[in-house]
Amino acid sequence: MQLTKLSENEIKKINKLYKEKERTLTNTFLIEGPHLIKEAKELKLLIKAYTIDPNLEGVLISESDMKKICQTSSVVKTLGIAKIKENGPLTNKILALDRIQDPGNLGTLLRSAKAFGFDTILLNKGTVDIYNPKVIRSCQGAIFKLNIIHDDILNFMGNHQDYSYYGTDVRRGIDVTSLKKPTKFMLILGNEGQGVDSKILEKTTSNLYIKLDSTESLNVSVAGGILMYMLK
């Protein structure tokens, strides 16, 4: 396989995709690693891939050029540009995220959502960009298998009254183990420091909490994983 030298223009074009504005404008995002490259290709979402390993998918480039287009501490073997998947139909179980800020938390929640059958994700305004490279790394391909919608949670609740809505509230919630699980519902998780917005909690069907043996609170991605497992 012949080595290709990246032009300065192509390097700039790729690096722009580390910014949310450019991802939104182009409807594309960056992916890293052969696993994600393979998944994107199978789903016909892969636009182009670059690699420093001739045995892997992509245009073969030098390690020095790869250093110019990847932002990880160690150089990745493959990097690709993928199309953002179009929205699909709403599913019976929805995970709504209200102002989640940490990319690692968001990525972990996406993995858990896929594992436990929450195949639609609603992102409220103020939540970290789901196509942030740190989110993509931590979600491990779940991004390609989920229906992602951007909407105001309160607006969605007003327009979809056929769903039950469950917020999370450690002070005034009910023990999740006592809930009779509905067939069509939304689980709402909130900001790492502030929780779910009080205006949302006022409109929910019920608010839930996880009974703990101590007073320590759980990280939102840990709590979300437990709740989704118990409601699967």
Side-chain angles (χ1 to χ4, degrees):
M1 187 184 293
Q2 187 175 358
L3 197 69
T4 298
K5 175 68 177 173
L6 293 182
S7 67
E8 288 301 316
N9 185 55
E10 192 162 7
I11 291 169
K12 287 180 181 177
K13 183 180 177 180
I14 296 166
N15 282 325
K16 281 183 178 181
L17 290 175
Y18 286 103
K19 297 180 179 179
E20 182 179 355
K21 181 180 178 181
E22 187 68 16
R23 294 193 290 270
T24 303
L25 283 173
T26 61
N27 207 42
T28 60
F29 65 105
L30 296 174
I31 53 177
E32 299 167 355
H35 171 65
L36 290 184
I37 299 291
K38 182 182 177 182
E39 287 207 30
K41 185 178 181 181
E42 288 176 352
L43 294 168
K44 302 188 186 315
L45 295 172
L46 183 66
I47 296 173
K48 195 169 186 178
Y50 305 88
T51 183
I52 59 174
D53 185 338
N55 298 310
L56 296 175
E57 176 82 26
V59 176
L60 185 64
I61 63 174
S62 66
E63 187 170 329
S64 61
D65 271 354
M66 185 63 83
K67 285 180 180 178
K68 295 176 184 177
I69 61 173
C70 79
Q71 293 189 343
T72 51
S73 54
S74 57
V75 179
V76 298
K77 287 189 176 182
T78 59
L79 183 144
I81 301 172
K83 291 185 286 188
I84 292 174
K85 186 166 69 79
E86 292 183 3
N87 289 343
L90 294 176
T91 54
N92 284 345
K93 292 193 291 186
I94 299 175
L95 176 66
L97 303 173
D98 177 31
R99 298 165 297 134
I100 300 296
Q101 292 294 295
D102 183 82
N105 283 338
L106 179 54
T108 301
L109 285 166
L110 295 180
R111 288 184 71 182
S112 297
K114 183 57 192 172
F116 300 130
F118 287 74
D119 291 331
T120 295
I121 308 295
L122 186 150
L123 302 173
N124 207 24
K125 185 178 180 180
T127 297
V128 64
D129 178 27
I130 199 168
Y131 299 104
N132 179 305
K134 291 180 181 178
V135 176
I136 302 302
R137 287 183 208 117
S138 59
C139 80
Q140 291 292 306
I143 193 78
F144 292 125
K145 301 167 185 173
L146 295 167
N147 183 35
I148 310 296
I149 57 177
H150 294 79
D151 197 357
D152 178 83
I153 293 175
L154 286 171
N155 180 66
F156 184 95
M157 292 168 75
N159 291 330
H160 298 83
Q161 297 182 16
D162 52 333
Y163 281 82
S164 297
Y165 295 92
Y166 298 99
T168 46
D169 188 344
V170 296
R171 294 183 182 85
R172 294 174 294 275
I174 63 171
D175 187 342
V176 63
T177 60
S178 68
L179 179 70
K180 184 178 179 181
K181 187 186 73 174
T183 56
K184 195 170 185 179
F185 67 98
M186 173 185 283
L187 173 65
I188 306 166
L189 302 176
N191 175 268
E192 290 87 344
Q194 301 171 351
V196 179
D197 189 299
S198 60
K199 293 179 181 177
I200 296 172
L201 293 180
E202 290 171 2
K203 301 288 186 181
T204 54
T205 308
S206 295
N207 296 312
L208 310 174
Y209 76 91
I210 302 166
K211 189 175 181 179
L212 303 175
D213 290 336
S214 71
T215 56
E216 291 187 20
S217 61
L218 296 173
N219 170 280
V220 66
S221 62
V222 174
I226 293 170
L227 289 167
M228 283 186 277
Y229 172 76
M230 299 186 79
L231 296 171
K232 69 175 183 173

